[in-house]
Every structure is written in structure tokens, then in C-alpha cells.
Amino acid sequence: MHRFILLLTLSLVAVSARAQQLTQTIRGQVVDNQSKATLPGVNLLVVGSSPLLAASTDENGYYVINDVPIGRISLQASYIGYEPFVVNNLELTSGKELVVNLELAEQIVSMDAVVVHSRENKMETNNEMSTVSTRQFTIEESMRYAGARNDVSRMAQNFAGVRGANDAVNDIIIRGNSPVGLLWRLEGIDIPNPNHFGDLGNTGGPVSMLNNNVLTNSDFMTGAFPAEYGNGLSGVFDLRMRNGNYKKHEFIGQVGLNGFELGAEGPLSKSSKASYLVNYRYSTLGIMSAIGINFGTGTAIPYYQDITWRLNVPTDKAGTFAFFGMAGVSSIDLISSTSEDSVDNIYNNDLDIYDRSKVGLAGFTHQYLINDKSYTRLTLSASATVNSDIVDSISSETFEPVDFYRQDFTQYRLSANFMYKLKLNARHNIQAGVRGDMFVIDLVDSMYRAQLDRYVTLTAFDGNTTLLQAYVQYQYRISEQLAFTVGLHDQYLTLNGSNAIEPRAGLKYAINDVNSVSFGYGLHSMMAPISTYFKTEEVMPGVYITPNDSLDFIKAHHIVLGYDRQLSPTMRFRSEVYYQQLFDVLIDRDSSSYSILNTGSLTFGSPDFLVNQGTGKNYGAEVTLEKFLDKGLYFLFTGSLYQSAYIASDDIERQTAFSGNYVVNFVGGKEFTLFADRTGQKTKKSIVFDTKLTLAGGQRYTPIDLEASILAGETEYDWDRAFEEQFKDYFRWDMRLAFKMDGKHTSQEWAFDVQNITNRQNPLYQRYNPVNQQVNTIYQLGVFPVPQYRITF
């Protein structure tokens, strides 16, 4: 009897302990990575679970695993005839169900027995046609990395071959190329600059409009990208939006540097798997400025708000329909005439600037599964970008604003993309597609010329032009170890008949289970920034011509060799060497040091007459050592040595503005679970510490001609010595500390990110001060605290 009572008591204690254990649901869908056909009967299990937590996919490829203890988990998928796959260290919280969609690769040689080898999913890319210079990144990384500010652009600055332009903007310099060469793609559509306060034709800004709460794992490419990507020279951000939870309504609230945020997702109908996802954000910088935090913009306060959404509607026979979009508005006034701290304002240059911008995008996607071997995807979208700027110079005598510059740029883009994918068998895959972008533009800007006592038109165009693209690419998986990809891309600009046919090729060979080598080649072309074509020249009073409307594409050959070694199940080493030969580069028709390859966030203006006669070259070597998150620990070390040079119309070879010569990054962190051995806890608590160190070659600059500046009363550069000078090396150390708490139905996080913790004074550029007739150095951001609170429920 006593023994029975003891056993009953122990059983009740065990049941009670299990009742106290915090659990969550994992759900998702499994498809073939080439044909996107759903895979029924796939076995999925939570690695190391006891008792075993597992499920199988239904006839539509969906699965659900209930009552999974929260924390870091690994999910294993296996299916006869397909390569087994393990996704490691997924974070499962109590405030939100975990949706994990998987794509499995078919085995070339069928095996009688399935042997599962743990592979970190970041070793693979979303785009199976890519063989080199591509890294899949998780959205969690943009939330976790110190200094990233929940921004995928700033997160990417940690990758090999990449550095930022300056602390205040998220421009990306890839292998010494201008940030203008980056292609942004969302849901298969080329999109305009997705940043607040961004200019038409540029790719960066102070705050990203792409909210990482609505994104999913995506690809970042730094060279020799596959044939489906066109109109980009330096790299590609191929971003994907996630679907909302189709079974449960969930919510998120967040406040931090990027703004006050509210998000919601859930099912549209209980009888289908249709879902919605929406996130809204409003800037908090005004409040932070009121409590004394200096953002490097002096007394100016940036205001912005944005909204991002996606509706996903799968059907049984008609395919899957999706509706997505984003919209944002922003404004800032940078006033030197009334600002006592304009000298320390990194954006200002003795000017009164009134900046207004609007960006909107709405799209529709239809993916149709023809059979288990092929599918099509049609995407239609419309976008609008509006930039309005008023710039007044400040008189050095009266310190009053003087008319200087006016801009009203509006661009509407209508885009269509159709793609067909055919999986002949496990070895052979073909993809073909066409895309068109119609630009409807109204561009007007003018500058006041004191000697003429009137405004002179710089750009004037009201009309449209279209960029047409087509591509085909083929992959041959010769064996489990060797894969070959070849493709052809063509693009045509209706404005002037510019045409470029671009071959692409890639090869990847797995020497054994841990070593592989890869090769990639591509010819890549890009339009000039749209306003460049319509820059006007006044040939006589009131008579204007557009001398640049016949400009051809800028082009580059990319060659990349890579080596990968899997040091352990959680650690990877990767190295690449590359060479890029740029040609048909836009330079001044007359002899000068100007080249469009130097266009970035700190360069302004261009000559009136441009020609496609410049050249450039970028070459270097990169290494990456990465420990994937395991047992709470991760780190990423990247190092790059590179040269970036150009030749303009004066026939002198110079370093480009972005030739910093080297960059080294270390980012890492450790997650500590608190009171892990304590039973019966109602909450799960953890502390996360992250850090980032960056050391890079200093910013290149053109020296100021002091005597000429004194005579002119404004900054005059010595362009015969373009980018000859270089500031001292750049160094920054960021730290992030976070406290996480999971309750029964909610998850919360308090985080404090301190950027540039040593308050390092990193020079950014120089300017002439007409008051004291001296050259002043403007520095980047000093110590920069970023608090954040986040709740999901």
C-alpha cells in the first residue's frame, strides 16, 4: 500500500512538472526545392526530444508538431529518395508558434537506407542556381547582431567583402564597388530604394523601410550571380516575405530606435490556409532627441512612418495567390542658419535642407503548380518614389539662407515578371523568365546661379521608358558531388536601344563530405541612375538639350573562385578570390577625374556630358570563419583584402572612393539560460550578450584646395588629386545585452545596444569653413545607445 501511494505521488509530481513546462507548436510545409511540388509523407522530428516528438506531412505537404518544449530546437526531415536535412538551433518561444517551411533536394542516386547527417541550413542558399558569393541569412541575425539595428543592410555589413559607407546610413559597399550597384529584389520583383530619406537612384538611407518582422530567410549575393538577376553590378539582396500564421492570431509590439511598432498575423479563414501579415511603425527619434540623445544630425529630428503587409491565399486547384506591399513617408529639416551645432552635423554643410520623400509598393503574385515537375510564377507590381528637396546655402557674411537648389523627382514603376521552372529529373533543371519595368517619370531640378541671377535647369523630363529583361538558366547535377549551372541574360532599354547579352556560368564540386570548391563567372550590366539620362545642358538662354539620353549600360566581368570546408557540424570555413573588370563606365567627356564608380552617399553632382569610355577593376581575397549558433554560442569572423581602381578621361589610374584596402569584422555572442535546473518555473529566462568589432581602412577623400576655397568663399576640391588621401583606419566596437522572458502565452525581450562603445572619432569627410577660413574634419557617430523592448503574444 505504501509503495502504491509512493508511485501515485511521484506520478502526480511528474504530471504537475510537465504541466508547468512551457511548450509551443511547430508547423509548416515541405516541398521539392526545384519543382515546388508538395511532399506528402515526409517524416519530421525534434532532434533529441524525449519522449519523441514527431509528425508526418499530409497530402498537401503540411505538418504540425504540438507540445514542443520552448528553447533552442533542431528539426530533422527525411523522405525516401530525397537528401535528409536538419535545421539547427531554431528559437521556439511561448509567445509565437514557429513556422518552418522546408525545401528538400531529390537524391541523384537512390539509397536503400537513409543516413541523416546534420547540416546547417545556412550552408545552402534559397537560390539553388547560385554557386559562389552567396550567403543565406536568417532574420534572427538582423535582430541579434550587435549594431545591426534590426536592419538587414547593416547586418550584411558583417559579411566578407562588405563594408558600410558611413555610420549614419546603411549603404553597402561590396568589393570596392559603388553602393549604387546593388540590386534590391523583393518577392521576385526589382524594387526602388527601400529606405527612409533615400534618394531616387541610390540604394541606402538612415533607416530601412524593410521591416524584419515580416521577412524570412533570404539570400545576399556579392558577385557572379545567376542569370535571373539583371540590372545590377555589385550585388543582390534577394528578399522574401514570410506568410502569416494560418491557424492562430498572433501579435507583436516593439519600441526602439527604429520606431514604435505594432504587428499582427493570423488566418483569414478557419476553413483554409489563407493568412494575413501586417506591421506598422512610427519613428521614435523625436522622443529620444528630447531626452538628449544626439544622432549626428544636430538639432534636426527625422520623422517617418511605414507599413508592410502580405496576404497569402493557397487554393486546391488554382494555385497560390499572394498580395504584398510596403509604403512609407519621411521628412527632415537640417537647418544650419539657426543651428549652433551645425559644425558637428554630419549631414549638413552650411546649408538649410528640407527633405521630403515617399515610397510605395504594391504587388500580386500567382504561383501555379502545373504538375509535380513544373510550375509558373507571375508577379505584377506598381511602385512610386517621390523626392522633394529644398536647399538653401548660408551666406558667410550675413549667415542668412540664400536660394540654392530645388528638386522634385517622381518615378512610377510598373513591373511584370513571369517565370517557368521545369525539373526534368533529379539531375536536370531548367528555368526561364521574362520581366519588364516601365518607368513613368517626372524629373525637375534647378540650381540658382548668382552670376546669372536666376535658376538654371539641371534636369527636366516628363515621359517614360522601359527596361526589358529575359533569361534562361540550366542546372546539371552530374553527381551528388558535382553540379554545373549555365545561363544567359539579356536586357534592353527602349529609351535609346541599349542592349546587353550576358553569359553566366557556375560550378560546384564536393571533394568529400567536408571540402568543396566552386567557380562562378558572369557578365553583368546596369542602367545609370535614371536621372542621369535626362540631365540637361543650356546651350543658349532658355534652350536645353539632354546630352546623356543615349548612354549605354555600365558593364562588368565577374570571376570568382571559392573553397569551403566544414570544420565540424557547427563550424564552417570559407574563402574566395575574385576579379572584376568594369568597362563602358560613365566618365566626363572632357578630361577630368570624374567616374560614376565613385558615386555614393558623400558625392554630389556630375559633369553635363558623359560618355561610356571609362574602366575600372576590383580584385581581392576574402575569408569567413563561422560558428553557427550551438548551445547558445555563435561567432562570425570575416576578413577582406582588396583593391578598387578606375581610369577616367584624364587617363590616370586612381583608387576609387571606396578602396579602403581591407576590412575585418568579428561578431559573436552567447546566450545564458537562467535557473535552468529549477523545476516548476512559470517563466523561462535568459540573458544574451552580443558584440561586434570592426577594423577597416580609412575613408578615401579628395583634398581641399584651401587657397581656391578662400577666394571662392566655399569648398573647392583639388580634383587633380582625386581620392589620393586616406583618413586613419576605421575602428568600432559595439555591444548588446538582452534579457528574454517567456511566459505561458507571451515572450518579452529587453535589449540595450551600445554602438561605438569606445567613442572612437572616425573621420568621415572634410569641408571648408568660410568663417575661420580653415578646413574642418567631420566625424562619424560617437557613442550611440539603442534601447529596445519587444513583446510577442
Side-chain angles (χ1 to χ4, degrees):
M1 184 66 178
H2 292 291
R3 185 174 296 176
F4 173 75
I5 293 174
L6 179 60
L7 290 173
L8 179 62
T9 302
L10 291 175
S11 299
L12 290 174
V13 170
V15 171
S16 176
R18 184 169 182 179
Q20 292 290 341
Q21 190 174 33
L22 300 173
T23 63
Q24 187 55 276
T25 297
I26 304 175
R27 68 174 72 249
Q29 188 182 35
V30 184
V31 300
D32 182 284
N33 74 330
Q34 295 285 356
S35 68
K36 308 305 178 189
T38 58
L39 300 178
V42 177
N43 296 315
L44 297 109
L45 63 89
V46 179
V47 178
S49 57
S50 180
L52 185 66
L53 297 172
S56 296
T57 56
D58 61 18
E59 66 275 10
N60 294 315
Y62 290 99
Y63 71 92
V64 179
I65 307 177
N66 294 308
D67 299 323
V68 181
I70 66 171
R72 293 284 175 180
I73 62 101
S74 295
L75 188 65
Q76 173 184 302
S78 58
Y79 190 51
I80 295 176
Y82 280 75
E83 296 177 6
F85 195 66
V86 175
V87 187
N88 291 313
N89 288 291
L90 298 168
E91 185 176 23
L92 186 64
T93 66
S94 57
K96 179 176 175 52
E97 292 186 347
L98 183 61
V99 179
V100 183
N101 298 316
L102 299 175
E103 298 184 358
L104 301 186
E106 187 177 0
Q107 290 177 333
I108 293 177
V109 179
S110 298
M111 299 180 182
D112 295 332
V114 174
V115 179
V116 177
H117 298 283
S118 175
R119 293 190 298 153
E120 173 58 46
N121 61 315
K122 284 188 291 185
M123 289 290 289
E124 307 296 331
T125 61
N126 286 319
N127 192 316
E128 66 280 354
M129 296 285 187
S130 181
T131 59
V132 294
S133 302
T134 301
R135 187 189 194 278
Q136 181 185 165
F137 62 89
T138 68
I139 300 307
E140 184 188 7
E141 289 170 323
S142 67
M143 299 178 180
R144 185 199 319 138
Y145 283 4
R149 303 188 203 171
N150 295 325
D151 184 344
V152 294
S153 295
R154 287 185 167 90
M155 174 209 63
Q157 291 172 11
N158 295 288
F159 300 157
V162 183
R163 65 175 294 175
N166 71 71
D167 294 345
V169 297
N170 60 10
D171 278 341
I172 296 177
I173 298 169
I174 300 174
R175 294 176 171 173
N177 287 284
S178 164
V180 176
L182 178 66
L183 172 66
W184 285 98
R185 182 166 289 184
L186 179 67
E187 294 294 285
I189 283 290
D190 297 351
I191 62 174
N193 184 4
N195 291 284
H196 289 292
F197 310 103
D199 291 328
L200 184 66
N202 287 337
T203 62
V207 182
S208 174
M209 204 179 301
L210 290 167
N211 195 303
N212 60 4
N213 288 317
V214 302
L215 297 176
T216 189
N217 292 5
S218 303
D219 285 341
F220 179 68
M221 304 178 183
T222 56
F225 19 96
E228 64 183 275
Y229 302 100
N231 199 33
L233 277 189
S234 65
V236 178
F237 249 125
D238 191 355
L239 299 168
R240 298 182 178 187
M241 299 178 71
R242 65 181 180 88
N243 295 324
N245 193 324
Y246 54 83
K247 281 295 184 181
K248 180 183 177 182
H249 294 281
E250 297 175 328
F251 305 93
I252 181 174
Q254 181 170 299
V255 58
L257 174 69
N258 287 348
F260 286 100
E261 300 183 35
L262 293 173
E265 62 182 282
L268 290 173
S269 169
K270 294 182 179 180
S271 59
S272 72
K273 298 236 175 359
S275 64
Y276 71 90
L277 174 67
V278 62
N279 196 282
Y280 171 77
R281 174 174 55 182
Y282 188 85
S283 65
T284 56
L285 299 188
I287 297 175
M288 292 184 178
S289 178
I291 62 176
I293 298 177
N294 182 9
F295 295 95
T297 60
T299 57
I301 300 174
Y303 295 97
Y304 56 87
Q305 56 183 316
D306 55 62
I307 187 170
T308 314
W309 70 91
R310 178 179 169 87
L311 303 177
N312 188 64
V313 184
T315 66
D316 292 334
K317 297 182 178 180
T320 299
F321 299 85
F323 304 86
F324 63 93
M326 65 176 184
V329 296
S330 51
S331 64
I332 188 171
D333 296 337
L334 299 151
I335 311 299
S336 284
S337 58
T338 59
S339 175
E340 297 179 357
D341 59 353
S342 62
V343 172
D344 299 322
N345 186 335
I346 67 174
Y347 285 110
N348 219 339
N349 189 14
D350 299 324
L351 302 171
D352 283 357
I353 302 175
Y354 305 86
D355 179 85
R356 305 289 184 269
S357 61
K358 299 178 182 178
V359 177
L361 168 72
F364 159 81
T365 296
H366 175 233
Q367 183 166 302
Y368 180 69
L369 190 63
I370 300 174
N371 50 44
D372 61 356
K373 297 292 185 182
S374 62
Y375 73 98
T376 62
R377 182 187 294 129
L378 172 67
T379 307
L380 305 174
S381 73
S383 65
T385 303
V386 180
N387 292 127
S388 176
D389 288 289
I390 297 176
V391 181
D392 293 331
S393 62
I394 306 302
S395 170
S396 60
E397 298 178 356
T398 65
F399 300 101
E400 294 295 323
V402 178
D403 288 344
F404 180 61
Y405 178 75
R406 302 289 184 267
Q407 180 195 90
D408 285 295
F409 281 4
T410 300
Q411 173 186 284
Y412 300 98
R413 181 191 291 190
L414 303 176
S415 301
N417 174 33
F418 180 79
M419 183 269 290
Y420 171 73
K421 184 73 172 287
L422 172 63
K423 176 184 175 181
L424 295 172
N425 51 45
R427 295 180 183 271
H428 303 279
N429 300 284
I430 299 174
Q431 181 178 335
V434 293
R435 64 177 66 245
D437 293 277
M438 174 181 284
F439 302 90
V440 181
I441 46 184
D442 185 1
L443 310 175
V444 178
D445 70 338
S446 57
M447 180 178 293
Y448 183 78
R449 296 284 171 81
Q451 62 271 31
L452 300 177
D453 193 26
R454 63 182 175 89
Y455 278 98
V456 174
T457 300
L458 303 179
T459 310
F461 182 78
D462 184 3
N464 64 80
T465 186
T466 301
L467 179 67
L468 302 174
Q469 301 179 68
Y471 70 91
V472 60
Q473 51 193 18
Y474 164 71
Q475 183 187 64
Y476 178 28
R477 297 177 64 198
I478 301 171
S479 66
E480 297 285 357
Q481 293 76 35
L482 182 60
F484 175 71
T485 303
V486 65
L488 196 66
H489 181 273
D490 181 43
Q491 64 184 41
Y492 176 81
L493 182 64
T494 61
L495 174 70
N496 55 30
S498 294
N499 186 67
I501 299 177
E502 308 162 2
R504 316 280 175 87
L507 183 71
K508 191 167 187 177
Y509 175 60
I511 302 170
N512 50 40
D513 288 342
V514 297
N515 295 287
S516 65
V517 293
S518 54
F519 166 79
Y521 164 76
L523 173 59
H524 305 274
S525 304
M526 186 185 76
M527 292 174 57
I530 194 73
S531 61
T532 304
Y533 294 98
F534 309 111
K535 188 177 181 64
T536 62
E537 170 68 12
E538 189 175 24
V539 293
M540 61 180 64
V543 179
Y544 296 90
I545 60 173
T546 54
N548 300 325
D549 55 9
S550 60
L551 291 174
D552 200 356
F553 299 124
I554 310 162
K555 304 180 181 70
H557 294 287
H558 288 197
I559 301 174
V560 183
L561 290 173
Y563 168 71
D564 279 86
R565 181 176 177 84
Q566 188 82 12
L567 300 174
S568 74
T570 62
M571 190 173 295
R572 168 198 190 188
F573 172 81
R574 182 176 188 176
S575 64
E576 287 191 343
V577 294
Y578 66 88
Y579 180 82
Q580 300 175 352
Q581 179 65 50
L582 295 94
F583 59 103
D584 288 350
V585 174
L586 301 187
I587 58 175
D588 194 348
R589 182 192 63 177
D590 302 321
S591 180
S592 80
S593 60
Y594 173 83
S595 171
I596 200 169
L597 298 182
N598 298 310
T599 301
S601 58
L602 295 176
T603 57
F604 306 95
S606 65
D608 293 329
F609 289 82
L610 298 175
V611 291
N612 289 98
Q613 296 177 8
T615 61
K617 60 183 177 182
N618 304 312
Y619 57 92
E622 304 163 357
V623 295
T624 297
L625 179 64
E626 181 171 14
K627 177 177 175 56
F628 307 128
L629 184 65
D630 180 52
K631 298 179 181 179
L633 176 68
Y634 77 94
F635 66 78
L636 172 68
F637 170 84
T638 60
S640 307
L641 294 173
Y642 66 99
Q643 288 286 331
S644 178
Y646 77 100
I647 298 177
S649 54
D650 58 6
D651 289 328
I652 299 175
E653 183 175 273
R654 294 181 169 87
Q655 298 287 295
T656 70
F658 309 107
S659 185
N661 304 126
Y662 81 96
V663 58
V664 177
N665 284 299
F666 175 84
V667 60
K670 172 67 175 170
E671 182 175 327
F672 302 90
T673 301
L674 303 179
F675 316 116
D677 298 329
R678 187 177 297 177
T679 59
Q681 295 187 79
K682 295 183 179 180
T683 59
K684 181 178 181 292
K685 305 177 182 69
S686 60
I687 290 179
V688 183
F689 172 77
D690 302 286
T691 189
K692 174 188 175 181
L693 291 165
T694 298
L695 180 64
Q699 177 83 35
R700 288 195 174 273
Y701 66 97
T702 300
I704 292 175
D705 188 329
L706 183 58
E707 292 184 2
S709 298
I710 293 174
L711 291 174
E714 60 183 10
T715 302
E716 294 288 341
Y717 293 99
D718 184 358
W719 290 111
D720 291 335
R721 301 175 58 203
F723 310 110
E724 284 187 6
E725 302 293 332
Q726 189 172 16
F727 289 122
K728 66 180 181 179
D729 288 352
Y730 175 97
F731 174 77
R732 200 175 98 180
W733 180 17
D734 303 334
M735 294 180 64
R736 181 179 183 271
L737 185 65
F739 173 71
K740 295 182 178 181
M741 184 171 68
D742 282 282
K744 188 175 182 180
H745 299 294
T746 63
S747 298
Q748 301 178 75
E749 180 186 68
W750 293 262
F752 192 68
D753 197 331
V754 182
Q755 299 175 23
N756 195 12
I757 194 169
T758 64
N759 199 30
R760 166 88 167 196
Q761 296 295 295
N762 290 304
L764 182 59
Y765 68 93
Q766 293 181 333
R767 72 182 181 203
Y768 170 70
N769 186 339
V771 177
N772 57 21
Q773 296 186 341
Q774 294 180 353
V775 175
N776 294 336
T777 299
I778 308 303
Y779 293 91
Q780 305 204 44
L781 296 182
V783 60
F784 191 60
V786 183
Q788 178 178 286
Y789 170 72
R790 175 187 175 94
I791 181 172
T792 56
F793 56 96

